[in-house]
Amino acid sequence: MNFRRIPTVLTPEEIIEKCFRRVRKVQVVDPDRLYRLRKLNAGKVQAFADTASSTLLKYVRAFPTIEALHPFYRELIDLGVDVDRLKVSLGRIQGIASTVSEIGRGKVKEIMKMRSQEEMMRAQREALGRMVSAVKRARDPLMVLSEAREFMRRLPEIDPKTPTVIIAGYPNVGKSSLTSALSTAKPEISTYPFTTKGVSVGVLEMGGRRVQVVDTPGMLDREPAERNEIERKASSALRNLPGVVLFLVDPTETCGYPIEMQLSLLQKLSEEFPQMRFFVVFTKSDMEEWTLPNVKEVKVDEERIAGWGVVSSTTREGIEELKRALSALLLDEP
């Protein structure tokens, strides 16, 4: 889903100025003076009405129907947008566009029957004034649309039908580094936790086929109801995207969290998302003085563990082996 196609939402003043620019371009050439005056005044009213209503309706058509979106996007949008308020605002915008069209249509009919220039100009000014007032009433709903657009444009483009690798784990265990090493994604990489505040997506080519690599925000070992917005974004990816979860464990504990807590999170996620397969990856193998934990200590159903690996995103140790394992899991290759 490409939310970047939603156009910039103008303010009422910008829409009104846009309409008047169109009004000033209206010209009529006709030898019949009375007919020329009628067409000129009616044309200016029609130009304003058409420009205003088409601009407003463009916004209504550009926003997706939330219920028709994939559950992954519905949950992400719900984290940053008041969906009910957005729906009400879209309805108000559509109503105002209809009002402007009705005002223009009615005044055009009246002007085309008039015989006095003064009467025509008075009718034109009245129509333009009423339509300007109508557009100004769209200020609040336009602001809601603008805020929703800014949030939705930052959402990742993910195809739910494409095989997906979801990278999850505690903050600062190396998720973004591994995402960058595996795919085309260039996430922000730092040494402090919660660098990743959203969901970023990269592409991994495997034998001519594309696999999505989704870098999720760090999660902590706590109940779903206690998670913050950042953690709920990761949870949404795990819940709604089909594929394999690369669960990263930092055995060096330089991430700031004991390995027991990291393995406890793995166990909790495996119980919360029984439909997912987990591939456990121990990271930072280039660092000295660390011990690989006994995999028997991981209290997760063995059928849920699709594999184990050791990698270093710095030296790229284990990266190619991990790619081959993912290819076998996702693309049914040997």
Side-chain angles (χ1 to χ4, degrees):
M1 181 65 195
N2 188 358
F3 296 105
R4 292 175 179 83
R5 295 178 181 175
I6 301 176
T8 301
V9 180
L10 303 177
T11 65
E13 290 74 21
E14 290 171 331
I15 295 174
I16 291 167
E17 177 57 32
K18 177 182 178 181
C19 294
F20 275 117
R21 285 198 301 269
R22 180 67 185 88
V23 167
R24 288 191 287 269
K25 293 180 180 180
V26 175
Q27 295 181 348
V28 177
V29 178
D30 194 277
D32 187 315
R33 179 177 179 277
L34 178 60
Y35 184 76
R36 185 172 66 250
L37 289 173
R38 286 173 174 170
K39 291 293 290 182
L40 180 62
N41 286 279
K44 290 183 176 182
V45 171
Q46 192 67 60
F48 190 106
D50 289 347
T51 305
S53 62
S54 64
T55 300
L56 294 173
L57 290 176
K58 177 177 65 175
Y59 302 144
V60 175
R61 289 190 290 267
F63 277 85
T65 301
I66 304 299
E67 290 77 11
L69 293 175
H70 189 271
F72 172 72
Y73 280 118
R74 290 206 303 267
E75 288 200 18
L76 284 189
I77 290 173
D78 198 45
L79 289 175
V81 176
D82 187 331
V83 174
D84 291 336
R85 190 179 177 210
L86 175 61
K87 291 178 181 177
V88 170
S89 298
L90 289 169
R92 288 182 61 189
I93 294 293
Q94 188 166 11
I96 291 171
S98 177
T99 298
V100 170
S101 293
E102 290 177 5
I103 293 172
R105 190 164 49 247
K107 281 299 177 183
V108 165
K109 289 181 179 179
E110 291 180 19
I111 291 173
M112 292 304 293
K113 297 177 182 179
M114 294 176 178
R115 304 188 65 83
S116 164
Q117 181 178 1
E118 291 75 15
E119 194 178 15
M120 295 178 201
M121 294 183 64
R122 186 165 56 250
Q124 180 207 137
R125 288 194 297 269
E126 179 188 349
L128 295 178
R130 290 175 59 193
M131 289 188 289
V132 165
S133 297
V135 172
K136 287 182 176 179
R137 291 199 297 272
R139 184 177 307 280
D140 288 344
L142 285 173
M143 188 178 299
V144 172
L145 265 60
S146 180
E147 293 172 354
R149 171 187 180 269
E150 290 306 308
F151 178 84
M152 294 167 73
R153 279 173 57 85
R154 294 194 298 270
L155 295 179
E157 294 183 39
I158 293 180
D159 181 4
K161 298 179 181 179
T162 299
T164 304
V165 175
I166 304 169
I167 299 184
Y170 258 81
N172 211 28
V173 295
K175 295 187 299 300
S176 296
S177 297
L178 183 58
T179 301
S180 182
L182 284 175
S183 71
T184 59
K186 299 300 178 187
E188 181 182 356
I189 300 172
S190 300
T191 56
Y192 54 88
F194 292 110
T195 302
T196 303
K197 296 180 174 60
V199 175
S200 60
V201 184
V203 175
L204 172 60
E205 295 288 344
M206 290 182 175
R209 298 176 65 182
R210 293 164 60 90
V211 171
Q212 295 174 131
V213 180
V214 178
D215 177 26
T216 64
M219 302 180 71
L220 301 180
D221 182 18
R222 51 189 174 191
E223 296 301 320
E226 299 174 352
R227 291 174 186 155
N228 58 30
E229 180 178 332
I230 295 175
E231 292 172 292
R232 290 202 297 272
K233 290 178 181 178
S235 177
S236 178
L238 292 172
R239 181 181 300 106
N240 296 303
L241 293 179
V244 173
V245 178
L246 282 189
F247 187 88
L248 272 55
V249 177
D250 175 10
T252 71
E253 299 184 351
T254 56
C255 62
Y257 301 97
I259 194 167
E260 292 78 14
M261 293 178 64
Q262 298 178 58
L263 295 177
S264 176
L265 175 61
L266 170 61
Q267 179 183 355
K268 188 165 293 183
L269 292 180
S270 70
E271 295 171 354
E272 184 178 352
F273 306 105
Q275 81 283 5
M276 300 301 294
R277 293 179 297 169
F278 290 79
F279 195 107
V280 183
V281 177
F282 297 98
T283 61
K284 307 181 183 180
S285 64
D286 58 293
M287 298 184 67
E288 298 179 357
E289 299 181 359
W290 65 274
T291 303
L292 190 68
N294 187 343
V295 295
K296 294 181 180 180
E297 298 175 4
V298 182
K299 300 177 181 179
V300 179
D301 186 347
E302 291 185 2
E303 294 183 359
R304 307 287 310 289
I305 302 297
W308 305 82
V310 178
V311 302
S312 167
S313 300
T314 303
T315 65
R316 298 192 65 83
E317 175 191 355
I319 296 296
E320 292 305 315
E321 290 84 351
L322 179 58
K323 287 182 179 180
R324 288 196 291 270
L326 293 174
S327 179
L329 287 170
L330 292 171
L331 306 180
D332 296 324
E333 295 182 355

